[in-house]
Amino acid sequence: QVQLVESGGGSVQAGGSLRLSCAASPVIDSCMGWFRQAPGKQREGVAAIYAGGARTRYVGSVAGRFTISQDNGKNMVYLQMNNLKPEDSAMYYCAAGTLQACNTWSSSGPDLALPYFATWGQGTQVTVSS
């Protein structure tokens, strides 16, 4: 079973950037995603990437600002976050799933894809101040 460890969170001012990293052991799964959860809110899908990195998916609120990528050789998945806003503040989680996770995201959106991500990291906190 895949194990995931996130890093790279922190505190930044609005307009700043952060890059989150997710180390997957032993290897990256067929579909990798980043989710976030703010206090009192439901967990929200942010971005997903198919194995190989050719196809990516984003929630509308981060499209054009966030970029998900992966390095298969290093078994790493990244989330580059630019032009951060206070509403981006949340605990960010890396998740791994089968191809069905990404296909469901593509066809039905991240909320319905969430159950297909079977493995989760412990999370890394992102705080954006205005």
Side-chain angles (χ1 to χ4, degrees):
Q1 185 174 353
V2 176
Q3 292 186 324
L4 306 172
V5 179
E6 303 97 332
S7 61
S11 297
V12 296
Q13 290 190 327
S17 298
L18 283 172
R19 188 178 82 152
L20 305 183
S21 298
C22 173
S25 176
V27 294
I28 293 174
D29 213 330
S30 301
C31 178
M32 301 295 295
W34 285 97
F35 291 75
R36 65 186 179 187
Q37 188 167 18
K41 295 188 176 182
Q42 290 187 330
R43 192 165 294 191
E44 173 190 36
V46 175
I49 188 167
Y50 284 78
R55 289 183 288 172
T56 57
R57 298 290 183 266
Y58 298 93
V59 70
S61 60
V62 308
R65 299 189 297 123
F66 291 11
T67 303
I68 188 171
S69 62
Q70 64 184 47
D71 185 330
N72 290 326
K74 297 181 179 179
N75 294 317
M76 297 290 294
V77 179
Y78 305 100
L79 185 68
Q80 177 67 45
M81 305 185 295
N82 298 328
N83 190 21
L84 282 160
K85 303 176 181 180
E87 53 264 39
D88 294 318
S89 297
M91 184 73 78
Y92 281 70
Y93 298 90
C94 179
T98 64
L99 186 60
Q100 187 172 12
C102 276
N103 287 340
T104 302
W105 188 308
S106 296
S107 63
S108 306
D111 289 348
L112 293 181
L114 192 150
Y116 296 102
F117 287 90
T119 305
W120 296 81
Q122 82 288 352
T124 185
Q125 179 68 40
V126 171
T127 302
V128 185
S129 58
S130 58

